[in-house]
Amino acid sequence: MFVHLNTCSYIYLVNRTNHDMHLRSAYLIMTLSMLAFYMPASAQKTDKKALALGILQDHRLDTVQRRALALLTSFNAGTSYGEVWIRDFNTFIKGSLKVRTKEEVRSMLLLFLKMQGEDGNIVDGVIDSKKAGVGYAYRYSPLAPEWAAHKNTVETDQESSLIQAIRKYIDVTGDRSILEEEIGGKRVFNRLEAALEYILKDRWAEQYGLVKGATTVDWGDVQPETGWGVAINDKTKWSVDIYDNAMYVIAIRDFLFIKPATYKTSRNWAATAATIKTNVRKHLWMTDAQKYIPHLYLDGSPFPVSFNEKEILYTGGSACAIMAGFNTPKEIITINKQMVAAAAKEKHATIGITVYPPYPAELYPNMHPYVYQNGGDWTWFGGRMIQTLAEHGLVKEAVAELDPIIERVLAKKGFYEWYDVRTGEPKGSGDFRGEAGVLFDVIVTLREWAAKTTK
């Protein structure tokens, strides 16, 4: 069989003739895969260049990047949030460095270390002390008296997020002097290592040799039971999941990358990361199903034994696992197919859908199905999956899966926290900088690949 079809022309044709973004994305993936299978090597090379030209000539990407940078002039998460959250800031810091000065970004990163606990823990969010509201248990520091901070204690990603953000800051600016700055008599680099040590002391499941946290939906920050779900309480069920462990290993990798050559670490962190990877593969990866177990429970499950939680696909944690290097190339392809298949079951879903199927309302009363992290669609994580696909050479898949997300941003005229997969309507905070940041990074990655490919 000989296929004579220009890929860019086909992409254009699909975009013009099929207005259902869901079908367009799925059909495009299928067709591009067929082209790659049937084409000889020389034709595949031509197809690769055509794909690269399509990326470079897609003016929609220019529009999205321009709008993203216009939004990234502030550090707070979005219109509904007065706080600067470290888990969000970590995902839009590269874009911030395009529109804010190096000094401004550096100062915000250091603020989180000024609020660091004596045990090494890192806070979740910081806010002007005059704007601090009710609900959170605020923390104050003489190192930054005008700020208030709080920690979502069900999460185990704040420490990892800060280390990753500082690595990105150094990558973009080349400013390694940040590591030598002293805060409260301690060097920044020592404080970062203290943050890593905190996880091993306070959030470690010894029986599995893995990081633990409270039970939440995938990467989420809300416990199942009703009430104030962001704080450890008497209903908390401790568990091990893939997201926390992947984020921690990425942080260790980044810590070692930025480590000054003369600095002696408190332990062999490379060995720690390797052990976690081994234990992830042993305890969390289901070889037969080719997916990750949602949770390993340490003190009982919050769900009845009749509920088979293993049927649920955790997309965000899986994306981070790939970023952490936990999966083989073949497994990455399989995981991506599972995400595409899950998205295909809901009319307005993309691979940003958090989990599928969602938890039933009676089992997760704090967050009903298709609401927020329980089956909402988050570009914030879908974008990370797309970026890691591109970085692993799956560029055609990345382009196809990005397409409905770009179309949605343009159609909704903005960046939103999450989307309802049943109606397609935006939900949560407007001007959500997490979405803007990951899309900015995705487009940079794709265009760097395209520029190299067309040389």
Side-chain angles (χ1 to χ4, degrees), residues 96-163:
S96 291
L97 284 163
K98 291 288 185 181
V99 293
R100 298 293 293 265
T101 67
K102 177 180 73 175
E103 291 73 23
E104 289 171 324
V105 174
R106 174 178 170 138
S107 178
M108 184 53 66
L109 288 171
L110 295 179
L111 177 57
F112 282 90
L113 290 172
K114 291 177 181 178
M115 294 292 186
Q116 185 174 21
E118 288 297 321
D119 59 0
N121 82 81
I122 300 299
V123 296
D124 219 16
V126 292
I127 189 170
D128 185 325
S129 59
K130 293 189 279 305
K131 298 179 181 178
V134 297
Y136 290 108
Y138 285 98
R139 177 188 302 181
Y140 298 88
S141 169
L143 299 174
E146 68 278 21
W147 291 90
H150 55 79
K151 186 175 180 67
N152 179 325
T153 53
V154 305
E155 294 176 27
T156 310
D157 68 345
Q158 300 98 329
E159 294 75 19
S160 299
S161 295
L162 178 60
I163 293 169

Side-chain angles (χ1 to χ4, degrees), residues 349-408:
T350 73
I351 62 165
I353 189 170
T354 50
V355 294
Y356 200 86
Y359 287 86
E362 63 272 18
L363 300 185
Y364 221 102
N366 241 355
M367 198 183 303
H368 284 200
Y370 301 107
V371 173
Y372 206 53
Q373 296 151 357
N374 190 16
D377 192 317
W378 295 67
T379 302
W380 192 32
F381 275 86
R384 285 182 239 189
M385 181 61 183
I386 292 169
Q387 182 167 353
T388 198
L389 287 176
E391 291 170 346
H392 283 84
L394 301 172
V395 181
K396 285 185 283 191
E397 290 83 352
V399 169
E401 292 167 37
L402 178 63
D403 182 72
I405 291 174
I406 294 296
E407 287 289 309
R408 183 169 64 190

Side-chain angles (χ1 to χ4, degrees), residues 23-96:
L23 292 176
R24 178 172 65 239
S25 180
Y27 191 39
L28 183 55
I29 294 171
M30 178 184 70
T31 304
L32 291 175
S33 299
M34 290 174 61
L35 287 172
F37 179 80
Y38 287 112
M39 284 183 177
S42 58
Q44 288 186 39
K45 186 175 181 180
T46 301
D47 180 54
K48 197 175 179 180
K49 286 191 174 182
L51 180 62
L53 285 171
I55 293 170
L56 295 174
Q57 296 170 2
D58 189 343
H59 297 303
R60 299 176 308 158
L61 304 184
D62 298 318
T63 300
V64 171
Q65 275 199 318
R66 184 174 63 253
R67 293 180 182 177
L69 291 178
L71 181 58
L72 297 179
T73 53
S74 295
F75 295 131
N76 64 304
T79 52
S80 297
Y81 300 105
E83 298 94 341
V84 180
W85 304 90
I86 190 55
R87 62 183 346 211
D88 297 66
F89 190 31
N90 175 40
T91 62
F92 63 79
I93 188 170
K94 289 186 176 181
S96 291

Side-chain angles (χ1 to χ4, degrees), residues 82 157 173 239 312 325 440:
D157 68 345
T173 66
S239 62
I312 298 177
F440 176 82

Side-chain angles (χ1 to χ4, degrees), residues 181-455:
E181 182 159 336
E182 284 199 5
I183 297 176
K186 298 178 183 178
R187 284 196 309 169
V188 164
F189 195 79
N190 295 92
R191 285 184 171 275
L192 297 183
E193 186 163 35
L196 288 177
E197 289 284 4
Y198 164 76
I199 298 297
L200 295 183
K201 293 173 184 175
D202 193 76
R203 295 299 175 100
W204 189 248
E206 188 64 40
Q207 62 267 54
Y208 294 111
L210 291 169
V211 176
K212 71 177 181 179
T215 298
T216 63
V217 178
D218 197 0
W219 51 266
D221 55 4
V222 180
Q223 297 178 103
E225 296 84 358
T226 54
W228 189 236
V230 300
I232 299 298
N233 55 43
D234 59 355
K235 297 179 181 177
T236 296
K237 293 296 184 182
W238 291 95
S239 62
V240 170
D241 66 28
I242 185 57
Y243 171 70
D244 292 338
N245 284 277
M247 287 289 285
Y248 190 58
V249 167
I250 294 169
I252 292 175
R253 181 181 68 199
D254 290 347
F255 174 82
L256 293 174
F257 185 86
I258 64 177
K259 184 183 81 67
T262 57
Y263 184 80
K264 292 184 179 180
T265 58
S266 61
R267 66 177 69 236
N268 185 338
W269 287 108
T272 300
T275 298
I276 292 173
K277 179 179 179 179
T278 297
N279 290 335
V280 161
R281 298 291 303 189
K282 179 180 179 181
H283 298 297
L284 293 178
W285 178 250
M286 296 186 288
T287 303
D288 292 343
Q290 292 285 282
K291 60 188 286 193
Y292 286 100
I293 293 171
H295 296 106
L296 287 174
Y297 294 101
L298 307 181
D299 56 354
S301 170
F303 310 118
V305 293
S306 59
F307 178 63
N308 185 6
E309 193 183 17
K310 291 182 179 180
E311 292 182 349
I312 298 177
L313 176 68
Y314 271 29
T315 62
S318 297
C320 291
I322 295 170
M323 295 168 64
F326 292 166
N327 293 99
T328 67
K330 186 176 180 181
E331 288 169 351
I332 294 170
I333 292 172
T334 300
I335 291 171
N336 186 57
K337 287 180 179 178
Q338 291 174 347
M339 292 185 184
V340 171
K345 294 178 181 178
E346 299 295 337
K347 184 176 181 181
H348 297 282
T350 73
I351 62 165
I353 189 170
T354 50
V355 294
Y356 200 86
Y359 287 86
E362 63 272 18
L363 300 185
Y364 221 102
N366 241 355
M367 198 183 303
H368 284 200
Y370 301 107
V371 173
Y372 206 53
Q373 296 151 357
N374 190 16
D377 192 317
W378 295 67
T379 302
W380 192 32
F381 275 86
R384 285 182 239 189
M385 181 61 183
I386 292 169
Q387 182 167 353
T388 198
L389 287 176
E391 291 170 346
H392 283 84
L394 301 172
V395 181
K396 285 185 283 191
E397 290 83 352
V399 169
E401 292 167 37
L402 178 63
D403 182 72
I405 291 174
I406 294 296
E407 287 289 309
R408 183 169 64 190
V409 168
L410 296 176
K412 302 302 179 183
K413 297 181 173 60
F415 301 96
Y416 293 90
E417 191 171 11
W418 62 281
Y419 301 83
D420 190 317
V421 299
R422 298 160 299 177
T423 66
E425 290 305 305
K427 300 288 184 177
S429 182
D431 290 347
F432 185 59
R433 292 182 176 87
E435 178 177 48
V438 296
L439 287 180
F440 176 82
D441 289 348
V442 165
I443 294 169
V444 168
T445 299
L446 287 173
R447 288 199 153 163
E448 285 178 348
W449 172 87
K452 292 178 183 177
T453 303
T454 54
K455 282 185 178 179

